[in-house]
Amino acid sequence: MKIFNTLTRRKEEFVPLESGKVKMYVCGPTVYNFIHIGNARPMIVFDTVRRYFEYKGYEVSYVSNFTDVDDKIIQKAREEGVEAEVISRRFIEECKKDMEGLNVKPATVHPQATQEIGGMVEMIQTLIRLGHAYKAEDGTVYFRTASFPEYGKLSHKNLEDLQSGFREIKVTGEEGKEDPADFVLWKPKKEGEPYWEAPWCCGRPGWHIECSVMAKKYLGDQIDIHAGGEDLIFPHHENEIAQSEAANGKPFARYWMHNAFLNIDNRKMSKSLGNFFTVREISEKYDLQVLRFFMLSAHYRSPLNFSADLMEASRNGLERILTAADRLRSAKAAASGETLTDKEEANLAEAGKLKEKYEAAMEDDFNTADAISAVFELVKLANSTAGEGCSRAYAGQLLELLETLCGVLGIRTEKKEEVLDEEIEALIAQRQQARKARDFALADRIRGQLSDMGILLEDTREGVKWKRV
Ligand code: AMP
Ligand code: ZN
């Protein structure tokens, strides 16, 4: 299996640290708002990478964090007059709902920065002890980039260029830096902001340290894959390497994977530019499977432009696959013979070649675009050969293959039944009845049933409200 490694700028054969196991860390979102579909790209891409490893029989430990202490979270909390924690808790929950809609598997662990401060303090202490970090007069602790000769190896930047570049930009409050390329590990507390105690001063961690600490705690000093969007290469991932390797004395991640941007009108979709759609907004117009399929229709290292036309094309493409799966299901149910005809044997050999083609595409740095082409070829084969008069075994085997190949991409092949408003209202009325009769077990079952149908209930003072998620 070949993976393009940002560190070496080459496709390299994947060799795990430990045979049969993959340790992966994917930088997660800062939780101060609903995630936008740009944030969804790394989630979908690296969930697919994980699924492919699992398909190959690897045991994958997948860690993805939530950054729950940050200026933007604090700002939002101020606007609403609540604690920062209220904001982060709310948007972690909302993010998890979006992930579920996108069929992104929950990580093995989803650590949160605020729960890991002890580990961060410890790592900063180690860095200070080893001379890789220092405390400035105001209590800020900086990483001493000059103490780590390999600084710049991921982003292929040269420390001297960085120093002169940073010298141009004077950041107020950072006068205590020894070197303009040094970066913050810990900053002193400010009035009205959350803070934690540390040997240097009360305050909060800089952004980069959390990932070094969480990766170490949940995966170990050395990991196989570290991933995220390409905007994280510098400075975030460069700084993570410096922190982890300086503190642990070992190479950190073997393979660094970065997805290209999801653009809109050829500009990066981002909160700050205001040119974004949230996953939630898209879910009101499309089944989120369509969004997932759209994201995987391009190679993860190619920029992808979001447009209604391309979403429409993805919807049609996906529909073609789901219809073929439906037809195979009906053919399987209608047919009886378990013995394959010679022609069917030959066709299954053809299908086997398409499976190989699919795998070859995935093994070439997860080329999901080519893998999807192989799925379409399989659909074509199924549409032209499975149907009335085919054997049960034939329809069954083609269906199983189609389901497996789609499953690795995180695409479910069952069509979602369109749920009618009246059906939902009727179930809600039944649940209200059950509650009145104090049959809470039944009421909960109905809530669960609605949730499986993608309907979320909210009990408010004005009664029960519902929405599709
Ligand atoms: P953030 O919440 O900004 O830290 O972003 C969370 C993840 O989404 C990171 O891996 C980012 O690199 C990624 N990301 C943000 N915007 C985009 C975009 N427009 N396209 C692709 N990835 C993005
Ligand atoms: Zn990170």
Side-chain angles (χ1 to χ4, degrees):
M1 195 186 306
K2 292 241 174 358
I3 297 184
F4 183 88
N5 190 353
T6 310
L7 197 60
T8 55
R9 287 177 166 160
R10 278 191 289 115
K11 276 190 201 168
E12 291 172 9
E13 189 61 33
F14 177 72
V15 183
L17 285 160
E18 202 180 322
S19 163
K21 296 194 173 161
V22 180
K23 294 181 197 152
M24 268 181 96
Y25 187 97
V26 183
C27 291
T30 307
V31 279
Y32 66 101
N33 213 327
F34 287 94
I35 57 162
H36 62 68
I37 58 176
N39 302 134
R41 190 169 190 196
M43 287 180 183
I44 295 168
V45 161
F46 298 114
D47 177 66
T48 306
V49 167
R50 170 196 191 165
R51 285 170 186 266
Y52 189 71
F53 276 120
E54 286 174 346
Y55 166 76
K56 294 288 286 182
Y58 285 94
E59 188 189 309
V60 184
S61 301
Y62 190 101
V63 178
S64 190
N65 64 312
F66 287 117
T67 299
D68 62 349
V69 56
D70 171 88
D71 288 343
K72 291 180 233 107
I73 301 175
I74 296 169
Q75 177 59 30
K76 178 108 174 171
R78 272 207 196 110
E79 284 163 21
E80 291 195 16
V82 294
E83 298 287 316
E85 196 198 334
V86 174
I87 302 294
S88 56
R89 207 179 321 125
R90 183 192 308 158
F91 290 110
I92 287 173
E93 284 319 305
E94 297 298 353
C95 178
K96 285 185 175 168
K97 281 184 214 158
D98 288 336
M99 285 168 62
E100 200 181 320
L102 293 164
N103 204 15
V104 168
K105 288 195 194 190
T108 318
V109 195
H110 276 293
Q112 287 169 234
T114 56
Q115 310 300 312
E116 309 286 346
I117 305 285
M120 298 190 220
V121 168
E122 222 172 277
M123 190 177 274
I124 297 172
Q125 268 175 318
T126 306
L127 290 170
I128 294 177
R129 185 167 44 80
L130 297 175
H132 291 295
Y134 58 94
K135 182 184 137 181
E137 242 171 64
D138 66 348
T140 308
V141 181
Y142 293 102
F143 185 92
R144 181 177 282 129
T145 44
S147 76
F148 186 69
E150 292 172 89
Y151 192 77
K153 68 178 173 182
L154 180 72
S155 50
H156 306 276
K157 290 181 196 287
N158 165 307
L159 187 56
E160 278 162 28
D161 292 346
L162 284 171
Q163 286 164 332
S164 53
F166 279 121
R167 219 163 276 132
E168 311 280 307
I169 330 163
K170 287 262 178 303
V171 183
T172 42
E174 295 199 344
E175 293 79 8
K177 275 186 181 183
E178 281 177 4
D179 184 313
D182 292 352
F183 59 90
V184 175
L185 297 172
W186 187 268
K187 46 189 157 189
K189 92 177 220 213
K190 281 199 206 136
E191 199 48 43
E193 292 191 355
Y195 67 90
W196 290 263
E197 293 198 0
W200 326 282
C201 65
C202 289
R204 60 185 166 106
W207 169 35
H208 317 296
I209 193 76
E210 68 180 71
C211 292
S212 285
V213 167
M214 294 170 183
K216 180 183 172 78
K217 176 167 171 187
Y218 295 102
L219 297 169
D221 289 355
Q222 288 187 280
I223 67 174
D224 292 295
I225 298 175
H226 198 312
E230 67 181 7
D231 52 339
L232 299 187
I233 298 173
F234 190 86
H236 186 54
H237 287 164
E238 194 69 64
N239 292 354
E240 274 193 49
I241 292 181
Q243 295 163 159
S244 294
E245 300 195 353
N248 303 331
K250 287 180 196 153
F252 182 28
R254 308 249 307 232
Y255 306 89
W256 287 85
M257 295 179 74
H258 294 99
N259 64 272
F261 292 142
L262 177 77
N263 293 332
I264 190 155
D265 300 327
N266 297 311
R267 289 178 79 188
K268 180 194 173 194
M269 183 176 287
S270 78
K271 289 256 165 68
S272 52
L273 289 173
N275 60 350
F276 64 90
F277 291 109
T278 62
V279 171
R280 208 55 67 86
E281 282 167 331
I282 295 299
S283 76
E284 283 160 15
K285 271 187 106 171
Y286 300 90
D287 179 343
L288 286 180
Q289 286 229 105
V290 176
L291 182 63
R292 182 162 182 133
F293 194 67
F294 160 76
M295 294 279 188
L296 296 177
S297 65
H299 188 270
Y300 75 91
R301 284 191 292 112
S302 305
L304 177 59
N305 210 44
F306 180 79
S307 74
D309 284 353
L310 287 176
M311 282 293 279
E312 223 35 67
S314 294
R315 193 201 316 248
N316 294 337
L318 184 61
E319 184 64 25
R320 200 138 52 89
I321 296 172
L322 304 194
T323 306
D326 258 5
R327 289 188 61 229
L328 286 171
R329 261 180 223 113
S330 313
K332 188 180 158 194
S336 53
E338 284 303 339
T339 338
L340 296 167
T341 64
D342 289 350
K343 182 77 190 130
E344 286 175 345
E345 293 258 20
N347 286 338
L348 281 180
E350 198 54 42
K353 283 199 195 117
L354 294 175
K355 175 173 171 250
E356 280 167 22
K357 197 168 166 184
Y358 173 101
E359 288 178 358
M362 292 299 273
E363 308 233 337
D364 182 16
D365 192 30
F366 303 96
N367 191 336
T368 52
D370 284 1
I372 289 174
S373 307
V375 171
F376 278 126
E377 286 184 62
L378 182 64
V379 163
K380 208 164 141 197
L381 178 73
N383 286 347
S384 59
T385 58
E388 223 173 296
C390 80
S391 74
R392 201 181 142 77
Y394 182 64
Q397 287 188 40
L398 279 186
L399 177 62
E400 199 184 314
L401 181 59
L402 185 61
E403 281 177 337
T404 305
L405 301 189
C406 287
V408 173
L409 300 173
I411 299 294
R412 301 189 186 98
T413 59
E414 283 93 17
K415 280 193 184 167
K416 244 199 202 159
E417 295 284 331
E418 192 58 46
V419 192
L420 300 173
D421 287 8
E422 300 88 85
E423 236 178 293
I424 299 163
E425 308 282 358
L427 278 167
I428 292 175
Q430 274 179 34
R431 176 169 170 269
Q432 293 301 83
Q433 279 286 319
R435 279 170 30 138
K436 244 192 220 147
R438 308 193 67 75
D439 186 350
F440 297 113
L442 176 62
D444 277 353
R445 265 207 308 282
I446 298 175
R447 177 190 273 271
Q449 193 182 339
L450 282 159
S451 155
D452 290 345
M453 292 156 80
I455 307 300
L456 197 74
L457 298 187
E458 207 182 332
D459 293 308
T460 70
R461 258 184 238 154
E462 297 88 55
V464 183
K465 292 200 172 141
W466 62 268
K467 59 179 177 192
R468 292 171 205 270
V469 286

